[in-house]
Structure formats: structure tokens, C-alpha cells
């Protein structure tokens, strides 16, 4: 039987791995797109780009979660 500390450590490690993969995916998509999307969202307040990237991040997060969870 697993003890609680082992479960907490596993949870923290998998969370960190998922966050790192999410950031890598974001930077890859940022490089693929022709415009600087972060600038569009933060400086130009482009809500449409923000919504598209929010959906993209949620979608990638769901894929990462399913891959980690099994």
C-alpha cells in the first residue's frame, strides 16, 4: 500500500511535468503563428486572440492530462 507522501510527490512531479509541457507547446505555437500573439493580447487588448489562445491552452491541457493520467 502506498503512503500519502509518495502520492503527494507523484502528484507534484506529474503537475510540474504537465506545466512544462504546456509552456513548451505554447512557445511552439507562438513561433508558428505569424504575429506576436502575446503582444496582441497584452498591449493591443485583442480579445479574439485571447479567446483563441485560452481555448488552445485548455485543449492542450486536456491532452496532457489524459496522457499523464492514462
Amino acid at each position: 500500500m502506498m503512503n500519502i507522501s509518495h502520492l503527494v510527490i507523484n502528484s507534484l512531479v506529474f503537475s510540474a511535468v504537465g506545466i512544462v509541457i504546456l509552456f513548451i507547446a505554447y512557445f511552439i505555437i507562438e513561433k508558428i503563428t505569424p504575429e506576436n500573439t502575446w503582444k496582441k493580447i497584452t498591449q493591443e487588448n485583442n480579445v479574439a486572440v485571447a479567446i483563441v489562445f485560452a481555448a488552445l491552452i485548455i485543449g492542450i491541457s486536456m491532452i496532457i492530462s489524459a496522457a499523464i493520467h492514462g
Side-chain angles (χ1 to χ4, degrees), residues 21-37:
I21 292 171
L22 179 63
F23 276 117
I24 291 170
Y26 171 76
F27 287 121
I28 289 171
I29 292 169
E30 180 72 31
K31 293 296 180 187
I32 291 172
T33 55
E35 297 287 332
N36 184 348
T37 55

Side-chain angles (χ1 to χ4, degrees), residues 5-66:
S5 64
H6 190 267
L7 295 174
V8 170
I9 291 171
N10 280 345
S11 179
L12 292 174
V13 168
F14 284 123
S15 297
V17 168
I19 290 170
V20 168
I21 292 171
L22 179 63
F23 276 117
I24 291 170
Y26 171 76
F27 287 121
I28 289 171
I29 292 169
E30 180 72 31
K31 293 296 180 187
I32 291 172
T33 55
E35 297 287 332
N36 184 348
T37 55
W38 187 250
K39 180 181 173 186
K40 290 268 187 200
I41 294 170
T42 58
Q43 294 176 357
E44 298 177 20
N45 296 326
N46 192 331
V47 177
V49 175
I51 291 171
V52 168
F53 261 75
L56 180 100
I57 288 172
I58 291 170
I60 292 172
S61 298
M62 290 172 67
I63 293 169
I64 294 169
S65 173

